Amino acid sequence: MMEKFWWNSFKLCLKILFLIKTLQLIRRTLRPYPIVPEIEVEDGLGPVINEWGTFDIMNERNVSFILSPLPCDSSVSLLLTVSSGPLNQGNRDRWRKGVEGRVGVKLVFIVAEARTESDQELLEDEHAEHGDIVQSTVADGHRRLGYKLLMGYVWAYTQCSQVEYTAKTDDNVVL
């Protein structure tokens, strides 16, 4: 008797499962497919460069470079961009030492706007000595990191578009 109860329960479960799967299949076949509009993709930066020669990054308008290294030459195969804060000279020096002597690698530091004039002067002196700081008019801050990252990509595209590889890291990462 107990065996018949389990067998009937099992058959009922199978019938319910079959019914659910049938309903799911019907629902899926009758569901209208969404119409996805075609997206036009432009080569390069697209509409990022505005009519004044500055850049529009997300909702930031007229962003420009304060400091900029020389463009990449044909010997560069890897552009290594390192996100750095205006006051992180020690980390930048460590990166310079770690990358020094590597053939085909160009190291640049992506730095946002300094908060004070004295900090800006220190950055300008460092850039005059090493020539490897990309600084934009984007304000610094952790919540503004996306802007700085995109400015690094804008600089890489406009100054080093022939480079085969571009890598991005942070100045607090150990090489």
Side-chain angles (χ1 to χ4, degrees), residues 50 52 92 102:
N50 61 32
W52 301 283
R92 289 190 292 273
R102 295 187 188 242

Side-chain angles (χ1 to χ4, degrees), residues 110-170:
I110 310 301
V111 180
E113 205 169 34
R115 295 177 197 250
T116 66
E117 285 184 36
S118 62
D119 292 346
Q120 182 60 36
E121 288 175 12
L122 289 172
L123 268 175
E124 289 172 3
D125 292 344
E126 185 181 349
H127 180 69
E129 181 179 346
H130 300 285
D132 58 3
I133 295 177
V134 176
Q135 185 186 29
S136 69
T137 56
V138 171
D140 195 27
H142 184 70
R143 292 181 180 256
R144 314 269 307 150
L145 193 56
Y147 294 96
K148 188 163 70 169
L149 175 69
L150 289 173
M151 278 309 297
Y153 288 136
V154 167
W155 187 88
Y157 182 80
T158 59
Q159 302 299 315
C160 298
S161 59
Q162 80 282 2
V163 172
E164 191 172 0
Y165 303 104
T166 301
K168 187 265 177 210
T169 187
D170 293 321

Side-chain angles (χ1 to χ4, degrees), residues 9 16 27 38 53 64 66 68 70 74 79 82 87 98 124 127 132 138-139 144 146 149-150 154 164:
S9 296
I16 292 172
R27 186 172 147 218
E38 208 172 294
S64 62
I66 300 170
S68 181
L70 294 173
S74 60
L79 174 65
V82 180
L87 301 177
E124 289 172 3
H127 180 69
D132 58 3
V138 171
R144 314 269 307 150
L149 175 69
L150 289 173
V154 167
E164 191 172 0

